[in-house]
Amino acid sequence: MNKIQILGPSKTIGEIKISGSKNSALPILFASLLVNEDIKIKNIPNIKDIYITLKLFSKIGVKIKKNKNLIINSKNIKKNYFPNKLIKKIRASIWLISPILIKFKKVKIHIPGGCKIGERPINLHLYGLEKLGAKIKLKDNYIIVKIKKKLISNTITFPQISVGATLTLILASILIPGLTIIKNFAKEPEIIDTINFLNTLGAKILYKKDKIKILGVKKLHGGTYKIIPDRIETGTYLIASVVSKGKIICYNTDANLLKNVLNKLKLSGAIIKTGNDFIKLKMSKRPKAVNIETLPYPYFPTDLQPQFTILNILAKGKSIITENIFQNRFNHVKELIKMGAKIKIQNNKIICKGINKIFGTEVNAKDLRSAASLIIAGCVAQGITTIKNINHIYRGYEDIEKKLCILGIKINKI
Ligand code: EPZ
């Protein structure tokens, strides 16, 4: 049964190594499909979403060698065969469209999967591809995209910011002759990491404040690249330390990737010191309540909203958490109420009234980040917290039980 138990309350004290970013590794892997030479990728996190992606790649003919680093070669990709079961497991499979379309002029894949945190539409991905001249058809949950003659460079302004759609458009544009310009694009560090990766392979992508300029090249060559640290994994452990009044050092991370989050943790009373590859955090008292509002980068990331909720339910004072990115990213709220939290949902807001203690009980994880939120809750709750469906957590957190044990958390799988 995929359950874990945590005996609280414990302080998280210790030093951990942050893994490579899941949301950088995924677009970089899909971008690699554009290249017919060996690519060596370093700092790939060993997590389920990566495992599923590599399984999908091997099924379509990508050559994969995995030792400490990953070496992939996409020269022998077979035509349009995509196992639905794998496509439906992860949201990232949407990024198959651009590379396969460019290689075979036609692609047909099932609508992708991903965490159940709202609709997860793909209209913005398709909007961008149409602007480049692609012909799109949606039929019985399949997306069919064709290029009549060839894709044409263009200037595209997204009606709404989307990480995934920005990446779909970048991947579709880099081999189109001429200048493609993308406006109102997502500025997440993982986008920049993918741009830097592609430029290492010979792409010509210029990232400016208000636009991305892409000068088409004939082909990309092989190379080596190291993935940036995972800012969401970093933020998750830092929040666990604040709520448990602990003391933690996160190594192999980069404070510049989560400035807004660090500011909010300082506002809650945490003492934070940073260096070029570490973040030190100490918390000796009950946190102060801090209002947060999730927005596209560089503002507070939606992927840390469920975790930050634990800080506010145990803080001194009242607070409001506003979720502006996903329609339903509150799967953790009902579970936290079972633990005694004084919170309620009002439209896209969580209204929090800080209390002193929450209590261990049986709770249910429904997606990756709400699973992370419940683990933090279990660390600080009085008594035993049993988390059902914990398998969600392995999608995005490498060696999480090991890292929590290093931090002194009493956790075991049942
Ligand atoms: C990426 O998802 C991340 N996933 C998410 O991380 C992250 O929360 C999200 O970006 C926002 O930062 C990966 O990188 C694999 P979006 P994505 O397109 O690309 C709507 C995690 O926990 N939208 O920026 O799906 C969408 O419904 C995951 O690691 C459309 O309406 O996010 C959402 O409300 C969760 N039409 C908003 O835009 C579209 O065509 C932002 O979505 C696409 C998106």
Side-chain angles (χ1 to χ4, degrees):
M1 182 63 178
N2 73 66
K3 275 185 188 178
I4 57 164
Q5 273 189 336
I6 302 178
L7 173 63
S10 317
K11 293 176 184 292
T12 46
I13 298 177
E15 306 177 359
I16 52 165
K17 188 170 141 334
I18 296 299
S19 305
S21 162
K22 162 176 99 76
N23 290 348
S24 197
L26 289 168
I28 281 177
L29 283 174
F30 284 91
S32 307
L33 298 178
L34 286 163
V35 187
N36 296 332
E37 296 174 20
D38 275 4
I39 299 176
K40 180 194 271 189
I41 306 175
K42 299 180 170 180
N43 205 29
I44 285 246
N46 188 10
I47 54 177
K48 207 162 145 198
D49 275 17
I50 298 296
Y51 170 77
I52 292 168
T53 300
L54 295 178
K55 203 163 160 206
L56 174 65
F57 281 14
S58 54
K59 288 230 186 287
I60 62 173
V62 178
K63 291 269 163 300
I64 294 164
K65 268 181 269 165
K66 189 144 176 28
N67 42 37
K68 198 163 90 56
N69 302 312
L70 179 78
I71 297 174
I72 75 172
N73 186 313
S74 304
K75 200 167 50 210
N76 304 319
I77 290 186
K78 281 181 259 169
K79 221 168 163 122
N80 286 8
Y81 160 69
F82 305 113
N84 288 347
K85 206 161 120 301
L86 291 172
I87 294 284
K88 289 197 273 188
K89 278 189 188 295
I90 52 172
R91 171 80 179 171
S93 38
I94 188 85
W95 290 322
L96 266 176
I97 293 177
S98 290
I100 300 300
L101 179 68
I102 289 162
K103 285 207 163 176
F104 299 110
K105 306 277 178 255
K106 176 178 184 312
V107 56
K108 177 181 177 186
I109 76 161
H110 194 280
I111 302 265
C115 282
K116 300 267 172 294
I117 47 178
E119 257 306 289
R120 310 302 296 268
I122 57 166
N123 58 310
L124 297 170
H125 295 252
L126 304 182
Y127 167 85
L129 291 169
E130 272 171 344
K131 289 282 182 191
L132 295 178
K135 299 281 168 266
I136 293 168
K137 228 164 64 188
L138 286 171
K139 195 161 167 287
D140 320 330
N141 281 332
Y142 280 89
I143 315 158
I144 303 153
V145 189
K146 282 188 191 127
I147 303 176
K148 279 274 172 292
K149 290 195 230 40
K150 57 187 177 45
L151 292 176
I152 36 120
S153 57
N154 198 350
T155 294
I156 298 117
T157 303
F158 275 115
Q160 176 196 336
I161 290 183
S162 156
V163 170
T166 300
L167 280 156
T168 287
L169 202 46
I170 291 172
L171 300 186
S173 312
I174 43 184
L175 299 173
I176 303 178
L179 181 65
T180 296
I181 295 176
I182 305 174
K183 295 180 179 173
N184 199 28
F185 57 96
K187 300 174 175 59
E188 269 62 10
E190 296 76 26
I191 301 263
I192 315 303
D193 205 28
T194 308
I195 289 174
N196 293 338
F197 166 72
L198 288 163
N199 284 340
T200 313
L201 307 183
K204 290 197 177 352
I205 309 171
L206 196 57
Y207 166 84
K208 304 182 80 140
K209 203 168 160 355
D210 61 340
K211 61 171 82 88
I212 297 178
K213 294 169 86 168
I214 301 171
L215 191 60
V217 293
K218 283 211 174 350
K219 72 191 267 288
L220 300 175
H221 53 71
T224 297
Y225 194 76
K226 183 176 179 193
I227 306 272
I228 56 171
D230 194 313
R231 62 190 168 108
I232 305 302
E233 183 196 20
T234 305
T236 302
Y237 286 109
L238 293 175
I239 292 169
S241 253
V242 168
V243 297
S244 65
K245 301 190 202 100
K247 198 172 158 197
I248 185 171
I249 306 180
C250 295
Y251 283 111
N252 282 37
T253 192
D254 177 354
N256 296 317
L257 299 174
L258 61 166
K259 280 184 192 150
N260 187 288
V261 176
L262 297 183
N263 290 340
K264 295 292 181 188
L265 295 178
K266 285 176 189 161
L267 281 176
S268 78
I271 313 289
I272 295 177
K273 282 195 177 46
T274 63
N276 67 343
D277 72 343
F278 70 84
I279 298 173
K280 259 186 203 167
L281 182 145
K282 198 158 75 81
M283 186 68 172
S284 49
K285 53 193 186 315
R286 188 176 165 199
K288 286 190 221 90
V290 179
N291 293 331
I292 59 164
E293 176 137 20
T294 67
L295 285 164
Y297 194 84
Y299 300 105
F300 194 91
T302 172
D303 293 349
L304 280 173
Q305 175 266 103
Q307 300 91 315
F308 202 92
T309 306
I310 313 301
L311 187 150
N312 277 336
I313 62 173
L314 289 166
K316 261 192 308 244
K318 290 188 180 146
S319 53
I320 296 177
I321 294 175
T322 307
E323 172 58 56
N324 292 311
I325 305 290
F326 286 105
Q327 300 134 324
N328 166 24
R329 193 165 211 170
F330 295 147
N331 289 330
H332 53 303
V333 170
K334 195 156 74 63
E335 306 307 308
L336 295 176
I337 291 171
K338 285 181 197 165
M339 299 176 82
K342 296 276 176 268
I343 46 180
K344 62 176 188 286
I345 295 172
Q346 239 164 41
N347 303 323
N348 67 330
K349 296 176 189 303
I350 306 175
I351 315 296
C352 307
K353 188 169 162 306
I355 52 173
N356 250 320
K357 288 191 176 79
I358 52 174
F359 300 89
T361 183
E362 183 165 276
V363 290
N364 191 18
K366 295 211 185 88
D367 63 70
L368 167 60
R369 305 303 176 183
S370 68
S373 161
L374 295 175
I375 286 179
I376 297 175
C379 295
V380 294
Q382 308 295 316
I384 293 180
T385 302
T386 304
I387 306 175
K388 295 189 300 185
N389 298 313
I390 195 57
N391 281 349
H392 291 290
I393 200 76
Y394 304 117
R395 297 188 50 173
Y397 289 86
E398 185 177 49
D399 296 337
I400 183 157
E401 283 101 349
K402 202 165 88 186
K403 294 185 184 183
L404 286 171
C405 286
I406 291 170
L407 295 173
I409 301 301
K410 300 172 193 67
I411 180 168
N412 70 338
K413 277 178 133 167
I414 45 176

